[in-house]
Amino acid sequence: MKKLFLLFALATMTISVYSCRETTEEKSEEAVEEIGNDIESGAEDAAEEVEDAAEEVEQEIEE
């Protein structure tokens, strides 16, 4: 009976650890995707600001 109880406890712990690993893996993938999106958005914003600054410099030079 004692062995049966220990086997059941071990199986339960194994299943719980496995399910937590899947959840953590999914959250990590989502976080990496969000970071990539943030970087892409930041790069686009920076490019727009550089273009705006270049246009302002050109206007200043023409005047």
Side-chain angles (χ1 to χ4, degrees):
M1 186 72 168
K2 189 175 184 181
K3 288 182 181 180
L4 183 62
F5 176 75
L6 289 175
L7 183 61
F8 178 73
L10 181 63
T12 304
M13 288 176 54
T14 303
I15 291 171
S16 68
V17 169
Y18 183 75
S19 66
C20 289
R21 183 179 61 88
E22 286 181 355
T23 303
T24 303
E25 189 175 305
E26 290 171 359
K27 288 182 181 180
S28 297
E29 289 175 3
E30 290 173 2
V32 168
E33 288 177 11
E34 286 298 319
I35 290 170
N37 291 340
D38 290 345
I39 290 171
E40 185 177 338
S41 176
E44 289 174 358
D45 292 345
E48 289 176 8
E49 289 182 23
V50 168
E51 288 176 5
D52 291 343
E55 288 175 6
E56 289 178 11
V57 169
E58 285 179 18
Q59 289 177 357
E60 291 290 325
I61 291 172
E62 289 176 0
E63 293 176 358

